[in-house]
Amino acid sequence: MHRCDACGACLMRSILSFGDIKRGEFHAMLDNAKQLKSAIKSGRHLRILEGRVVGLLFEKPSTRTRTSFETAVIRLGGSPIYMAESELQLTRGELVKDTARVLGGYLDAIVARVHTHDTVVQLAEWSGKPVINGLSDLEHPTQLVSDMLTIYEIKKRIKGLNIVYVGDGDNVANSLLLAAATVGANATIACPRGYEPNADIMLKAMKIADKTGSVISVINNPEKAAVDADVLYTDVWVSMGEESERKKRMNAFKGFQINSKLLSLAKKDAVVMHCLPAHRGLEITDEVIESKQSIVWQQAENKLYGAAAVLDFAINGKLKVRQ
Ligand code: CP
Ligand code: NVA
């Protein structure tokens, strides 16, 4: 955490893990996201990031995260600069810490999508500017900010809900555990043996859960997990960077699919979420993703408002709800 160059007063914060956001801060961020959503939708000219330049350093493809963050910066009055890894000297051996120090001299914040989590850690350490993790191999925290907004919009509450994630214990699952624990929702991860979420993150989530009253569990039986679910959530079986394991994963994840049968075990008013991109016929069926219970398009749209609230929090240190 450090003071910003512009005013020397507000606190700038990196968000590398969902665990970097405290409970009270997250509720303020959600309130801010709701207000920013209504302001952006009504076409209001916002100046929250006026004069700010935000770099988007992406080492992996992205449709939603890149576009929602770029759009959010523009809607809030700032200027985004997209930097594909392939066009940076990083690919020719320049160190992350050297890149970070240079970019920190130009930019007000960096949104980074990286192969290895350590890269966002180094960017934050060396740039001197807030760094937002736009997906690493370990976490996808901003995804869960907008997902929690979506759940809140639909269910009007989050605390005490049963969120059941079916599939790979990957970056999205890791951030989901921390997010659910933070807001006091119960999280069950149903995954094949050997594909559990990160052990340190599970421990961290359980520690947070002790304080918020949420129940965190990991099981290997999707049918058992789906019973009484308020939210059924899934993600791809093969994440970016794991393409060489495709064949092995296709076998391992058979049965870990959100389909009508699994959905019928959940509560009658259960909703289905997917961070997208989706692979119909693998982790989710076409029938379910196109069904009335699927909220994936609202979930995807909310990435814009989640991004806006995250940027306001990281760059302006906004903890209070903006009037
Ligand atoms: N959900 C998500 O992060 O999508 P993208 O990979 O398209 O950014
Ligand atoms: N787990 C997926 C998420 C994509 C948004 C991946 O890392 O590819």
Side-chain angles (χ1 to χ4, degrees):
M1 199 182 328
H2 42 272
R3 307 261 167 204
C4 81
D5 299 339
C7 70
C10 55
L11 295 170
M12 307 176 85
R13 289 274 294 272
S14 287
I15 301 176
L16 308 184
S17 160
F18 199 97
D20 294 338
I21 312 167
K22 293 187 182 67
R23 188 158 155 239
E25 291 172 343
F26 185 58
H27 285 293
M29 198 189 282
L30 274 189
D31 284 342
N32 199 20
K34 282 181 234 160
Q35 298 204 10
L36 289 168
K37 180 169 183 173
S38 100
I40 290 171
K41 273 189 171 291
S42 69
R44 261 179 55 199
H45 183 64
L46 300 167
R47 293 181 166 180
I48 293 167
L49 292 186
E50 194 167 61
R52 307 290 193 149
V53 183
V54 178
L56 290 97
L57 192 166
F58 275 52
E59 297 181 338
K60 295 178 179 180
S62 169
T63 297
R64 283 146 285 270
T65 308
R66 174 194 171 170
T67 317
S68 57
F69 268 98
E70 274 200 61
T71 309
V73 174
I74 296 167
R75 296 270 189 228
L76 299 185
S79 307
I81 297 183
Y82 180 70
M83 297 171 287
E85 184 199 30
S86 58
E87 293 164 11
L88 295 176
Q89 297 285 10
L90 276 171
T91 51
R92 297 182 65 248
E94 185 164 19
L95 297 181
V96 173
K97 66 176 183 180
D98 293 355
T99 306
R101 278 179 283 192
V102 172
L103 293 180
Y106 307 147
L107 304 166
D108 294 298
I110 301 170
V111 180
R113 170 166 286 198
V114 298
H115 301 293
T116 356
H117 189 74
D118 185 54
T119 302
V120 284
V121 175
Q122 284 196 55
L123 286 171
E125 261 174 30
W126 292 95
S127 69
K129 295 291 160 66
V131 172
I132 296 162
N133 177 0
L135 183 146
S136 69
D137 53 345
L138 187 64
E139 275 205 57
H140 197 2
T142 67
Q143 178 68 46
L144 267 295
V145 170
S146 50
D147 290 347
M148 288 294 161
L149 170 67
T150 309
I151 294 174
Y152 191 81
E153 282 178 346
I154 306 262
K155 297 284 179 190
K156 311 293 175 218
R157 68 186 180 108
I158 305 180
K159 197 172 167 61
L161 291 182
N162 297 326
I163 304 177
V164 175
Y165 175 101
V166 178
D168 189 15
D170 61 10
N171 40 14
V172 172
N174 287 334
S175 292
L176 186 145
L177 281 177
L178 291 168
T182 301
V183 298
N186 305 317
T188 304
I189 307 287
C191 59
R193 267 178 232 289
Y195 294 92
E196 288 83 7
N198 176 276
D200 291 338
I201 290 195
M202 278 200 277
L203 274 180
K204 195 169 180 185
M206 282 172 184
K207 266 193 188 161
I208 302 171
D210 274 349
K211 292 191 192 128
T212 59
S214 82
V215 180
I216 302 290
S217 46
V218 177
I219 65 171
N220 306 116
N221 183 332
E223 285 78 22
K224 210 169 151 190
V227 173
D228 271 345
D230 294 289
V231 177
L232 275 181
Y233 195 124
T234 192
D235 182 17
V236 293
W237 290 347
V238 184
S239 283
M240 291 179 276
E242 293 169 341
E243 290 77 9
S244 64
E245 295 177 19
R246 188 177 170 80
K247 210 169 153 195
K248 188 176 97 180
R249 285 174 168 267
M250 287 301 132
N251 285 324
F253 286 100
K254 266 185 201 145
F256 288 82
Q257 179 189 63
I258 302 190
N259 51 38
S260 304
K261 201 170 150 218
L262 198 75
L263 185 52
S264 71
L265 300 171
K267 286 189 184 157
K268 272 205 169 67
D269 62 350
V271 291
V272 175
M273 300 181 79
H274 191 314
C275 56
L276 305 178
H279 296 89
R280 290 163 163 83
L282 298 181
E283 74 275 2
I284 194 163
T285 59
D286 181 68
E287 189 185 10
V288 166
I289 201 169
E290 298 293 351
S291 74
K292 284 206 177 104
Q293 281 167 278
S294 162
I295 57 167
V296 302
W297 313 118
Q298 183 172 340
Q299 181 185 2
E301 184 191 332
N302 276 341
K303 280 181 70 87
L304 170 59
Y305 313 113
V310 163
L311 287 163
D312 199 12
F313 176 81
I315 298 175
N316 296 325
K318 282 293 158 206
L319 297 180
K320 283 207 193 108
V321 176
R322 191 173 285 282
Q323 294 306 314

